[in-house]
């Protein structure tokens, strides 16, 4: 196929055989968030470029080199959203729904776009589910966000494969003092730092902490620690969070080098990581961003949130073979009709069945065909039963119900008893 007729590198089709797992994942998360009292918000996929520059920060990887930015026909600079928080903050400000200290517990789902090097677990269009909470500044809500993701891992059967890493970045004042100390220390070891870290030292020094370079990591062993620079407020907040996680029985490790890629975090930062996916091991990440709303022109409004990467979690479900059995079957019954009269009767009957059993997953054979070919299709559909309608059945106003998965004998069931019969033998997934 010519190149122009292929999908863009790093942007994937999610094929019919994969969508059941996606829908299972998405509905599991949606139900959980509903149950915790979070409300869904939907933002556009495109925003003014300025929004991301202002919120994510000019000297971050995302803004420096990963954004899909283009000019609108009227000359405006627009960007495909690389993450959800910026647009969410923009939306709550624009609609005044966090004004006067109003609390909002929100969630969103959708595609994000970053021009990164595509590899397993890293794509250019990927999908996130995220939560953002506004105007609740205590550690109780930070804990709730972590507790609910922990419950989700439990529901998905992946708890044993993920680990929680936690850190506190303090308030912007304490982070400022720490940044100074770090810059002073790293500047004294400048020649031992890798090139990237030397550059970051000038632009975004905290990012040096999460370098992958071994030489720089060696220098960092004796670097000043954020924990020693935390102000009392941040320290109390962090202790409050840890106490709640302990009370909820959620294991965690403190990772003093966890700084997160975005500029806007303060106090709590956390990541759920797995060692089952290779290098792309972070499946969910978040933190507190108490200064962001103000930075974007709003009244002081605290915020905390996270985003999980759907592709990575789907990969993890597949890797751990945590795919529930019921999602692999998508058809309950398959109706085969032989001859035109039977086909017409079959259509009427199937619509009647759909009225009577709204949850029934009924596939009607299309394109006619011999006994053999229709049975083959019925079997391939994964249905539990084939409903057979031929001249004999029609004459007697019955349907032959043939089990396809070895559950008993074929039975003749009268048209008007069919719904009740199917209701007893099909347990809805
Ligand atoms: P990473 O360190 O892996 O680049 P990040 O810190 O850039 O992640 P965030 O911006 O915090 O990621 O996004 C939250 C989550 O979204 C990540 O933990 C990950 O699961 C997912 N994610 C981020 N970028 C990608 C991508 N390019 N492809 C697939 N998933 C991604
Ligand atoms: Mg990244």
């Amino acid at each position: 196929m010519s190149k122009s007729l292929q999908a863009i590198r790093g942007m994937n089709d999610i094929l019919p055989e994969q969508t059941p797992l996606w829908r299972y994942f998405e509905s599991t998360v949606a139900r959980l968030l509903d149950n915790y009292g979070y409300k869904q918000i939907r933002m556009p996929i495109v925003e003014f470029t300025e929004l991301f520059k202002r919120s994510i920060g000019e000297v971050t990887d995302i803004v420096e080199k990963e954004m899909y930015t283009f000019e609108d026909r009227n000359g405006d600079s627009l960007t495909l959203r690389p993450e959800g928080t910026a647009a969410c903050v923009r939306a709550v400000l624009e609609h005044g729904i966090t004004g006067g200290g109003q609390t909002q517990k929100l969630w969103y789902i959708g595609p994000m776009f970053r021009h990164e090097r595509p590899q397993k677990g890293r794509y250019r269009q990927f999908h996130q589910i995220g939560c953002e909470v506004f105007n609740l500044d205590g550690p109780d809500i930070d804990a709730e966000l972590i507790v609910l993701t922990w419950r989700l891992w439990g529901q998905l059967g992946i708890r044993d494969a993920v680990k929680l890493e936690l850190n506190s970045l303090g308030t912007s004042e304490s982070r400022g003092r720490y940044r100074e100390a770090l810059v002073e220390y790293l500047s004294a070891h400048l020649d031992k730092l890798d090139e990237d870290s030397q550059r970051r030292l000038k632009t975004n020094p905290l990012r040096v902490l999460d370098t992958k370079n071994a030489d720089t990591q060696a220098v960092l062993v004796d670097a000043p620690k954020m924990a020693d620079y935390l102000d009392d407020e941040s320290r109390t907040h962090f202790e409050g969070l840890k106490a709640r996680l302990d009370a909820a029985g959620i294991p965690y490790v403190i990772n003093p080098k966890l700084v997160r890629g975005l500029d806007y975090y303060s106090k709590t930062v956390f990541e759920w990581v797995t060692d089952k996916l290779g290098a792309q091991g972070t499946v969910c990440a978040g933190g507190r961003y108490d200064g962001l709303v103000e930075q974007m022109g709003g009244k002081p409004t605290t915020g905390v949130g996270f985003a999980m990467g759907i592709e990575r979690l789907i990969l993890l479900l597949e890797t751990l073979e945590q795919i529930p059995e019921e999602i692999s079957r998508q058809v309950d019954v398959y109706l085969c009709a032989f001859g035109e009269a039977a086909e017409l009767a079959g259509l009427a009957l199937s619509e009647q069945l759909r009225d009577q059993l709204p949850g029934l997953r009924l596939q009607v054979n299309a394109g006619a065909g011999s006994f053999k070919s229709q049975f083959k299709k019925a079997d391939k559909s994964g249905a539990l039963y084939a409903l057979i309608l031929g001249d004999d059945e029609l004459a007697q106003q019955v349907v032959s119900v043939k089990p396809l998965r070895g559950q008993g004998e074929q039975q003749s069931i009268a048209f008007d008893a069919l719904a009740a019969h199917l209701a007893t033998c099909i347990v809805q997934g």
Side-chain angles (χ1 to χ4, degrees):
M1 208 188 294
S2 80
K3 186 157 186 280
S4 60
L5 290 181
Q6 291 180 354
I8 295 163
R9 197 162 111 82
M11 304 202 179
N12 300 313
D13 298 306
I14 299 163
L15 293 172
E17 63 188 45
Q18 300 167 297
T19 49
L21 185 55
W22 278 71
R23 290 180 61 183
Y24 155 73
F25 176 81
E26 290 163 0
S27 61
T28 304
V29 185
R31 190 174 52 238
L32 178 97
L33 293 171
D34 283 347
N35 292 352
Y36 275 86
Y38 288 69
K39 300 214 169 79
Q40 194 186 20
I41 181 169
R42 302 186 185 202
M43 298 86 65
I45 286 172
V46 186
E47 299 271 355
F48 287 119
T49 304
E50 189 56 25
L51 174 72
F52 301 114
K53 288 192 176 166
R54 284 255 300 267
S55 58
I56 298 170
E58 297 262 9
V59 285
T60 52
D61 285 350
I62 292 181
V63 172
E64 277 183 342
K65 51 189 189 203
E66 296 175 358
M67 295 207 300
Y68 280 91
T69 297
F70 59 97
E71 211 173 83
D72 201 355
R73 288 175 189 276
N74 64 1
D76 290 336
S77 178
L78 306 183
T79 294
L80 293 179
R81 63 181 184 195
E83 52 99 61
T85 305
C88 188
V89 168
R90 194 240 346 110
V92 298
L93 279 180
E94 189 166 336
H95 301 284
I97 60 174
T98 52
Q102 276 179 87
T103 294
Q104 292 290 346
K105 303 207 301 184
L106 306 174
W107 70 278
Y108 59 81
I109 178 171
M112 306 294 160
F113 303 85
R114 298 184 194 175
H115 196 278
E116 302 195 71
R117 193 171 70 78
Q119 52 200 292
K120 183 183 169 196
R122 190 175 295 283
Y123 311 99
R124 290 181 173 172
Q125 173 173 333
F126 62 99
H127 298 78
Q128 289 184 333
I129 294 183
C131 279
E132 313 291 350
V133 178
F134 298 99
N135 283 319
L136 287 171
D137 56 11
D140 51 350
I141 196 72
D142 304 33
E144 178 173 279
L145 290 172
I146 291 171
V147 166
L148 74 82
T149 46
W150 175 246
R151 176 167 299 280
L152 177 64
W153 313 145
Q155 289 177 356
L156 296 171
I158 58 175
R159 240 184 213 177
D160 293 342
V162 292
K163 192 173 83 181
L164 175 62
E165 298 193 355
L166 209 58
N167 193 20
S168 175
L169 300 179
T171 57
S172 67
E173 297 79 53
S174 59
R175 202 162 56 259
R177 281 188 290 117
Y178 174 63
R179 190 184 294 115
E180 265 174 46
L182 185 67
V183 169
E184 193 181 332
Y185 172 85
L186 292 177
S187 302
H189 298 82
L190 196 60
D191 52 327
K192 298 195 204 83
L193 303 183
D194 63 285
E195 214 175 292
D196 221 25
S197 296
Q198 291 188 1
R199 190 176 56 85
R200 281 183 171 157
L201 183 58
K202 295 200 189 69
T203 56
N204 195 348
L206 292 190
R207 288 303 310 275
V208 177
L209 294 178
D210 68 0
T211 179
K212 302 275 182 292
N213 182 282
D215 296 334
T216 305
Q217 281 176 345
V219 174
L220 286 170
V221 172
D222 295 319
K225 300 279 176 286
M226 180 75 227
D228 300 327
Y229 287 77
L230 283 189
D231 52 290
D232 287 346
E233 181 194 330
S234 303
R235 200 184 303 275
T236 309
H237 195 278
F238 199 35
E239 291 308 318
L241 171 59
K242 288 192 277 184
R244 282 166 178 82
L245 297 179
D246 292 337
I250 299 178
Y252 56 86
V253 292
I254 306 293
N255 177 358
K257 292 186 182 146
L258 184 65
V259 291
R260 310 283 306 113
L262 315 178
D263 259 1
Y264 51 56
Y265 288 108
S266 57
K267 293 186 182 155
T268 311
V269 286
F270 66 91
E271 286 191 2
W272 288 99
V273 293
T274 179
D275 56 12
K276 304 277 188 279
L277 296 180
Q280 272 54 252
T282 304
V283 293
C284 175
R288 186 162 273 287
Y289 48 84
D290 288 345
L292 179 62
V293 176
E294 210 177 347
Q295 180 186 315
M296 288 172 64
K299 299 237 164 63
T301 303
T302 61
V304 58
F306 66 74
M308 59 182 87
I310 302 183
E311 281 82 357
R312 290 185 194 178
L313 284 158
I314 297 274
L315 273 171
L316 190 54
L317 291 175
E318 288 169 341
T319 306
L320 300 175
E321 296 180 10
Q322 288 295 330
I323 300 174
E325 224 168 89
E326 63 267 20
I327 70 163
S328 54
R329 187 169 58 80
Q330 289 169 69
V331 179
D332 298 320
V333 290
Y334 190 101
L335 185 129
C336 309
F338 303 99
E340 192 175 345
E343 218 184 272
L344 297 183
L347 176 58
L349 183 65
S350 60
E351 286 307 304
Q352 198 183 320
L353 281 177
R354 293 185 206 279
D355 286 340
Q356 293 166 314
L357 302 172
L360 184 71
R361 295 174 300 180
L362 162 62
Q363 192 161 319
V364 177
N365 183 74
S370 65
F371 269 97
K372 199 173 159 205
S373 85
Q374 291 203 32
F375 280 134
K376 214 167 153 190
K377 288 197 273 177
D379 190 46
K380 204 169 162 220
S381 77
L384 293 174
Y385 296 91
L387 305 182
I388 302 159
L389 204 50
D391 290 340
D392 292 349
E393 283 86 0
L394 206 50
Q396 298 173 48
Q397 296 284 291
V398 297
V399 173
S400 298
V401 179
K402 180 182 165 63
L404 294 173
R405 317 274 153 221
Q407 61 285 43
E409 297 294 308
Q410 180 167 320
Q411 282 178 278
S412 269
I413 309 289
F415 282 3
D416 53 13
L418 188 57
H421 177 77
L422 291 177
T424 61
C425 51
I426 290 162
V427 184
Q428 234 81 77

